[in-house]
């Protein structure tokens, strides 16, 4: 099923998972998926692997399993910097064979120890290329706090408009911890006539390592109330977990009340955390 159709019927609630590392058997993810199936998300997206390096190419296989065994729509992540046009064509053919219709087309992270491929400079180039190859539903990423490589928020919105015009049918935001960034971003999208569903990406932070990793890898703003919460409970693993879950729930309640098209939960492959958030907010998505 194409995931863009879901937005015509309801406020969408979905999950992101990532494949197991190369040292772990792929079967380790399936127990996680079985537990997540019981939570009834509207779809599940599958990243390319740790860091998006392309070294673990089990994404298509996992996406197929989600559809055939969990009976849920799936989305395969596809980062532009990791592949040539010929490699993309091979991956698209594999996705067609596995009946995976939805692709999250990304530029991907440029890593210092890995030379990027040169065929796709921007995610919009990859979106346009996929659009030419078949009837895929293409999803794009977007950045409420502006992409780190953009010179300004105006340039970032222009690039996003280019991506949508190239064929992206829906958007998922990078994680954020202050909903005001999302609301301001949405207003800018409306002004730019970016008229596709935009899901808010929410990550429940449940341990100190996640915070350190986010500070290192992204430019996301950490609000004062969030930092005080983490500092207060950083030496109590259960308390920081519960506080992180509560913070994410509060974000979601506010976003849905303000009319967000959907929520995309970055689960970090943690069924317990996903279940707590799903149980606390389920009625919001049935209203």
């Amino acid at each position: 099923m194409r995931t863009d159709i879901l937005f015509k019927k309801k406020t969408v609630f979905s999950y992101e998972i990532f494949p197991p590392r190369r040292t772990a058997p792929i079967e380790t993810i399936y127990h996680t998926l079985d537990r997540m199936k019981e939570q009834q998300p509207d779809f599940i997206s599958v990243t390319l692997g740790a860091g998006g390096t392309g070294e673990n190419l089990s994404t298509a296989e996992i996406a197929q399993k989600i559809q055939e065994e969990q009976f849920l729509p799936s989305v395969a992540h596809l980062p532009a910097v990791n592949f040539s046009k010929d490699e993309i064509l091979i991956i698209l053919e594999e996705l067609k064979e596995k009946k995976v219709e939805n692709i999250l087309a990304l530029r991907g992270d440029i890593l210092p120890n890995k030379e990027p491929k040169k065929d796709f400079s921007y995610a919009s180039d990859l979106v346009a290329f996929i659009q030419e190859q078949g009837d895929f539903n293409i999803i794009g990423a977007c950045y409420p706090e502006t992409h780190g490589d953009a010179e300004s928020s105006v340039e970032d919105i222009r690039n996003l408009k280019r991506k949508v015009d190239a064929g992206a049918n829906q958007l998922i935001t990078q994680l954020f911890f202050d909903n005001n960034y999302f609301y301001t971003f949405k207003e800018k999208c409306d002004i730019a006539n970016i008229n596709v569903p935009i899901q808010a990406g929410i990550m429940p932070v449940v341990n100190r390592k996640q915070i350190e990793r986010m500070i290192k890898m992204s430019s996301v703003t950490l609000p004062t109330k969030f930092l005080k919460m983490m500092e207060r409970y950083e030496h109590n693993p259960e308390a920081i977990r519960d506080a992180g879950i509560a913070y994410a729930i509060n974000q979601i309640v506010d976003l849905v009340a303000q009319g967000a098209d959907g929520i995309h939960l970055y689960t970090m492959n943690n069924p317990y955390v996903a279940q707590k958030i799903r149980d606390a907010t389920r009625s919001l998505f049935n209203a």
Side-chain angles (χ1 to χ4, degrees):
M1 175 190 286
R2 291 171 58 106
T3 56
D4 58 331
I5 296 173
L6 298 169
F7 295 91
K8 298 177 180 179
K9 305 175 182 178
K10 59 178 298 187
T11 304
V12 172
F13 186 83
S14 59
Y15 289 168
E16 178 188 281
I17 63 163
F18 52 82
R21 296 185 181 276
R22 288 180 298 166
T23 54
I26 194 172
E27 288 76 17
T28 58
I29 195 63
Y30 296 139
H31 176 64
T32 296
L33 287 172
D34 285 340
R35 292 181 63 187
M36 289 182 173
K37 173 189 174 182
E38 298 170 358
Q39 300 167 23
Q40 298 177 310
D42 291 306
F43 68 83
I44 297 178
S45 74
V46 188
T47 72
L48 191 68
T53 61
E55 295 175 345
N56 187 329
L57 298 182
S58 56
T59 300
E61 179 181 344
I62 296 172
Q64 180 188 36
K65 291 282 189 181
I66 290 170
Q67 295 187 158
E68 293 183 350
E69 297 183 10
Q70 273 70 41
F71 307 109
L72 295 169
S74 65
V75 174
H77 290 220
L78 192 54
V81 297
N82 297 127
F83 302 107
S84 67
K85 286 185 177 179
D86 288 342
E87 290 170 328
I88 291 291
L89 287 173
I90 292 171
I91 293 170
L92 293 180
E93 190 59 37
E94 180 183 12
L95 292 173
K96 288 178 185 177
E97 291 174 359
K98 296 183 183 301
K99 295 182 171 52
V100 177
E101 300 178 86
N102 306 291
I103 297 174
L104 178 54
L106 308 158
R107 187 198 69 173
D109 296 326
I110 298 176
L111 303 176
N113 60 344
K114 188 174 179 65
E115 183 70 20
K117 300 294 176 71
K118 305 296 185 182
D119 285 358
F120 304 100
S121 298
Y122 304 101
S124 57
D125 298 331
L126 178 60
V127 170
F129 186 75
I130 296 171
Q131 180 76 359
E132 296 171 354
Q133 308 307 318
D135 188 25
F136 289 101
N137 174 47
I138 308 171
I139 304 166
C142 55
Y143 301 83
E145 298 186 57
T146 303
H147 193 287
D149 292 341
E151 292 184 1
S152 67
S153 63
V154 172
E155 180 191 51
D156 195 35
I157 292 294
R158 285 175 179 162
N159 291 336
L160 183 61
K161 174 65 172 171
R162 190 175 297 115
K163 190 186 303 185
V164 170
D165 289 346
N169 299 310
Q170 66 185 89
L171 300 169
I172 297 174
T173 77
Q174 184 192 43
L175 60 95
F176 57 90
F177 296 99
D178 183 340
N179 287 1
N180 289 321
Y181 284 110
F182 179 82
Y183 302 136
T184 300
F185 168 75
K186 188 65 170 61
E187 289 175 359
K188 293 176 181 177
C189 288
D190 291 342
I191 293 170
N193 290 318
I194 296 173
N195 299 315
V196 297
I198 302 176
Q199 276 185 278
I202 298 298
M203 177 181 283
V205 176
V206 296
N207 59 65
R208 187 73 186 185
K209 287 184 179 179
Q210 280 182 277
I211 303 171
E212 294 169 354
R213 186 163 55 247
M214 282 186 296
I215 292 173
K216 182 178 180 180
M217 297 185 65
S218 73
S219 57
V220 64
T221 300
L222 301 179
T224 299
K225 65 178 181 179
F226 177 87
L227 291 172
K228 286 186 176 295
M229 179 183 73
M230 292 293 115
E231 290 170 5
R232 173 69 175 83
Y233 302 116
E234 65 178 326
H235 300 299
N236 184 330
E238 288 189 5
I240 199 170
R241 179 198 66 195
D242 291 345
I245 290 171
Y247 193 95
I249 290 170
N250 287 336
Q251 277 193 275
I252 292 169
V253 170
D254 183 61
L255 287 161
V256 175
Q258 296 293 333
D261 296 311
I263 303 296
H264 191 62
L265 190 68
Y266 297 111
T267 69
M268 302 303 291
N269 289 19
N270 190 323
Y272 173 86
V273 173
Q275 180 75 66
K276 289 293 185 181
I277 293 172
R278 183 62 164 150
D279 287 348
T281 62
R282 187 183 299 274
S283 62
L284 305 180
F285 297 89
N286 297 325

